Amino acid sequence: MAHMDVLLCEDVDNLGNRGQVVRVRSGYGRNYLLPQGLAMEATAGNKRMIEEQRRILGKREEREQHSARGEAEKLAGVELRFERRVGEHGILYGSVTALDIAEALKERGYEVERRRINLRDHIKEVGDYDVVIKLHRDIAPTIKVLVRKEGAVEAPAVEAPATEPLTATAEPAESTGATLPATESSAAGDEE
């Protein structure tokens, strides 16, 4: 089988990273990598140009990594909520796709390409999901995607500890010299 060496211009899954020279089958290189702009042919005549490309790609890599870190910090803690019609057993009519997530992020001011959203399959059930956004080869923050039934109202979470009301209602009781539990102090205040 005929093989060829190519310089990768972009990261290609299961093949290599940008700037690497890799050996691929000729058909794969000629029919896919070269026309898509993912690679350029690495011939003897191109050796000087390849070294210059590696230097340029190295600088571009640093810039992209720096901007990806900044974007990852912004995306940390982002939570997207989708409300969809639901059938029996929590199965959605339709699904939540990477395109839906990209559009929701765009509405919030984040520019993320759909292909960077690492979603194996479309989300087809109600629930909470962690979705990885691959901003760079080494930088992949996770966002929270909540899929809920359309029109469903969630119960508010109780966040106040039980000790806070006791101290707040116990203060007036202390001024009279009596220490009463919270329910008795409020009832004693009503009787007076």
Side-chain angles (χ1 to χ4, degrees):
M1 293 193 188
H3 289 85
M4 64 187 295
D5 291 332
V6 294
L7 170 70
L8 296 176
C9 299
E10 297 291 330
D11 293 345
V12 180
D13 291 337
N14 301 323
L15 185 59
N17 298 325
R18 184 179 9 193
Q20 282 184 319
V21 175
V22 294
R23 180 171 285 261
V24 296
R25 290 189 176 170
S26 295
Y28 181 59
R30 280 194 318 269
N31 297 327
Y32 179 70
L33 294 174
L34 297 176
Q36 295 292 325
L38 299 174
M40 59 186 288
E41 196 168 354
T43 62
N46 290 341
K47 291 295 182 188
R48 254 185 273 128
M49 189 172 74
I50 288 172
E51 291 303 318
E52 180 66 20
Q53 285 291 329
R54 279 189 182 158
R55 189 180 63 76
I56 292 170
L57 289 174
K59 287 182 180 180
R60 188 170 112 190
E61 176 83 13
E62 287 177 27
R63 280 194 313 267
E64 287 178 357
Q65 193 171 22
H66 180 64
S67 68
R69 277 195 193 107
E71 192 70 22
E73 289 174 5
K74 292 177 189 174
L75 282 172
V78 169
E79 191 173 273
L80 300 177
R81 183 181 179 96
F82 294 94
E83 290 190 3
R84 298 286 195 256
R85 286 186 24 199
V86 178
E88 291 183 30
H89 308 292
I91 305 297
L92 302 178
Y93 290 117
S95 61
V96 176
T97 64
L99 180 61
D100 294 330
I101 294 170
E103 288 174 355
L105 286 170
K106 189 173 185 177
E107 288 173 7
R108 290 192 174 193
Y110 303 106
E111 285 293 325
V112 176
E113 296 175 26
R114 181 179 70 190
R115 66 183 177 91
R116 300 229 181 249
I117 298 171
N118 193 6
L119 195 61
R120 282 185 189 233
D121 294 322
H122 302 310
I123 298 173
K124 298 179 182 180
E125 294 182 15
V126 172
D128 297 352
Y129 299 91
D130 292 331
V131 177
V132 176
I133 310 287
K134 190 173 182 180
L135 298 175
H136 188 268
R137 176 175 56 247
D138 302 328
I139 302 168
T142 302
I143 63 170
K144 199 74 154 153
V145 175
L146 310 175
V147 181
R148 300 290 183 252
K149 181 179 180 180
E150 193 173 74
V153 178
E154 290 186 20
V158 177
E159 297 179 12
T163 58
E164 285 186 17
L166 292 176
T167 56
T169 57
E171 289 174 15
E174 288 175 2
S175 64
T176 60
T179 52
L180 300 172
T183 55
E184 291 177 5
S185 68
S186 62
D190 292 341
E191 292 174 0
E192 294 177 327

